Amino acid sequence: MILTRDVPLQIYAYDVDYMGIVHNIVYLRWLEKIRTDFLNEHYSITDAINTGISPIIAKTEMTYHRPVRITDRAFAHLKVEEIGRSKWVISMEIHVEGELYFRADQSGMFYDINKRRPARTPAHVRELFQQALASK
């Protein structure tokens, strides 16, 4: 399991305002897409449906350092910071030409859909995380 991911970001005309600056909500959409794509490699939505254990978000903190513009070549860097017994923490930064433009920290847990309460992180997900940390 790779604990980080670098993704080039595509900026579309509908992502920006009249000044060519990316709307604030687009950053959250990027965070969700990159996190979901990353998670699907290790614990897909099919896994969640079949087991009744789903990751949910408890908190998202976002800091806008500089505005990303439609002409910028922006890259996102996602990092898994922690995967515990039920809690997980990720961070995402957006850079343009090596400079920080945005940072988000997101935490959540695994949740038992049927019992409606927090659940343990699926064992194989926790093991992958521990193996990746050990190989650093």
Side-chain angles (χ1 to χ4, degrees):
M1 178 182 202
I2 298 172
L3 299 177
T4 62
R5 157 97 22 101
D6 291 307
V7 179
L9 298 173
Q10 179 67 48
I11 303 169
Y12 297 97
Y14 56 78
D15 291 331
V16 300
D17 61 18
Y18 288 110
M19 296 183 294
I21 296 173
V22 173
H23 296 289
N24 289 352
I25 195 67
V26 173
Y27 295 83
L28 183 59
R29 190 183 77 227
W30 286 336
L31 175 61
E32 291 302 299
K33 180 182 182 336
I34 295 165
R35 181 185 52 78
T36 301
D37 289 349
F38 178 83
L39 182 61
N40 279 336
E41 293 176 17
H42 309 290
Y43 192 74
S44 71
I45 192 150
T46 302
D47 295 331
I49 291 168
N50 290 339
T51 63
I53 306 296
S54 178
I56 62 171
I57 296 166
K59 182 178 182 180
T60 301
E61 292 183 6
M62 301 186 296
T63 304
Y64 302 90
H65 295 274
R66 296 172 180 222
V68 175
R69 299 178 183 280
I70 195 166
T71 55
D72 289 335
R73 293 189 59 217
F75 290 85
H77 176 76
L78 177 85
K79 181 179 179 186
V80 177
E81 302 285 352
E82 173 188 341
I83 297 180
R85 292 178 62 176
S86 67
K87 181 182 176 183
W88 53 264
V89 178
I90 63 165
S91 65
M92 185 179 84
E93 293 183 349
I94 295 176
H95 294 94
V96 174
E97 296 182 17
E99 292 195 41
L100 180 64
Y101 276 55
F102 172 85
R103 178 172 171 97
D105 294 295
Q106 193 171 66
S107 61
M109 67 190 79
F110 283 87
Y111 189 79
D112 188 313
I113 298 165
N114 298 316
K115 294 179 182 176
R116 296 183 181 187
R117 65 179 200 195
R120 289 186 183 264
T121 300
H124 76 280
V125 173
R126 202 169 56 249
E127 288 169 14
L128 287 169
F129 181 73
Q130 295 302 325
Q131 289 171 5
L133 284 176
S135 68
K136 280 179 119 179

